[in-house]
């Protein structure tokens, strides 16, 4: 009986691994109009974060955020990736927070703004007020959001 159990366990293990291995990961469609708008916005201003446009969109979609919010905050806080430290292009935690990469910072801040108890369920105005209580901050971020484009937002698609 022991031999049968060992064989059954060996047969089940590769199946579990292969199911996880082939799970589709969300991605941003290359033809998504948001991608071209965001890339152009950063490129027109010579911002290094133009190379992170897909990460901004993916993080926004995964956390149910307006797709323009994260890039706009990064534009106000670091001039679109021109001036920052610790891979923290958002000035998160008064620039004290360290991230292993800019990409990791994008996804961390997106998760906080979309899912943490402090920000979840709040509209953009309230999120921005909590993010930075200075009265002009919200208006500055929203002006950048308008400059990036409209708020229409296609959903992410699964990769093949």
């Amino acid at each position: 009986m022991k031999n049968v159990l060992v064989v059954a366990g060996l047969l089940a293990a590769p199946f579990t691994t292969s199911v996880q291995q082939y799970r589709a990961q969300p991605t941003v469609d290359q033809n998504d109009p948001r991608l071209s708008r965001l890339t152009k916005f950063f490129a027109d201003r010579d911002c290094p974060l133009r190379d992170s446009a897909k990460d901004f969109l993916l993080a926004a979609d995964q956390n149910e955020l307006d797709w323009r919010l994260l890039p706009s905050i990064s534009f106000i806080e670091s001039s679109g990736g021109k001036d920052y430290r610790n891979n923290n292009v958002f000035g998160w935690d008064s620039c004290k927070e360290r991230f292993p990469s800019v990409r990791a910072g994008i996804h961390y801040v997106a998760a906080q703004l979309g899912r943490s108890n402090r920000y979840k369920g709040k509209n953009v105005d309230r999120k921005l007020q909590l993010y930075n209580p200075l009265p002009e901050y919200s208006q500055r971020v929203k002006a950048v959001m308008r400059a990036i484009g409209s708020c229409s937002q296609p959903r992410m698609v699964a990769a093949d």
Side-chain angles (χ1 to χ4, degrees):
M1 185 67 171
K2 287 182 185 178
N3 291 340
V4 173
L5 290 175
V6 170
V7 171
L10 291 174
L11 291 174
F15 176 74
T16 303
T17 303
S18 65
V19 169
Q20 291 173 351
Q21 187 176 19
Y22 294 111
R23 187 174 297 154
Q25 295 296 315
T27 186
V28 175
D29 184 350
Q30 195 65 28
N31 297 318
D32 186 331
R34 301 174 304 160
L35 182 59
S36 58
R37 280 186 181 200
L38 187 53
T39 302
K40 182 176 179 359
F41 174 83
F42 281 136
D44 287 350
R45 290 154 182 83
D46 197 30
C47 297
L49 288 177
R50 69 181 161 270
D51 297 332
S52 299
K54 281 187 178 183
D55 284 313
F56 280 117
L57 297 177
L58 184 59
D61 288 351
Q62 289 174 329
N63 293 285
E64 300 177 4
L65 297 169
D66 183 311
W67 67 276
R68 305 163 303 160
L69 180 62
L70 296 167
S72 297
I73 293 172
S74 74
F75 189 78
I76 297 299
E77 295 292 343
S78 69
S79 299
K82 291 180 184 178
D83 185 24
Y84 65 94
R85 62 178 187 226
N86 302 323
N87 292 315
N88 185 343
V89 297
F90 299 102
W92 186 259
D93 191 23
S94 300
C95 297
K96 294 179 222 161
E97 186 75 37
R98 295 175 182 267
F99 298 110
S101 65
V102 168
R103 182 175 192 246
I106 290 169
H107 287 275
Y108 176 83
V109 172
Q112 292 301 305
L113 291 176
R115 302 191 185 280
S116 73
N117 289 337
R118 179 178 172 109
Y119 295 99
K120 185 177 181 175
K122 297 182 174 63
N123 65 23
V124 170
D125 287 323
R126 185 68 180 125
K127 285 179 194 243
L128 288 171
Q129 185 181 39
L130 290 168
Y131 195 91
N132 184 328
L134 294 175
E136 67 276 3
Y137 187 79
S138 177
Q139 296 308 312
R140 291 178 63 207
V141 172
K142 290 191 315 185
V144 175
M145 290 173 73
R146 286 188 298 275
I148 291 172
S150 70
C151 64
S152 61
Q153 181 168 323
R155 300 313 298 162
M156 61 188 161
V157 296
D160 294 332

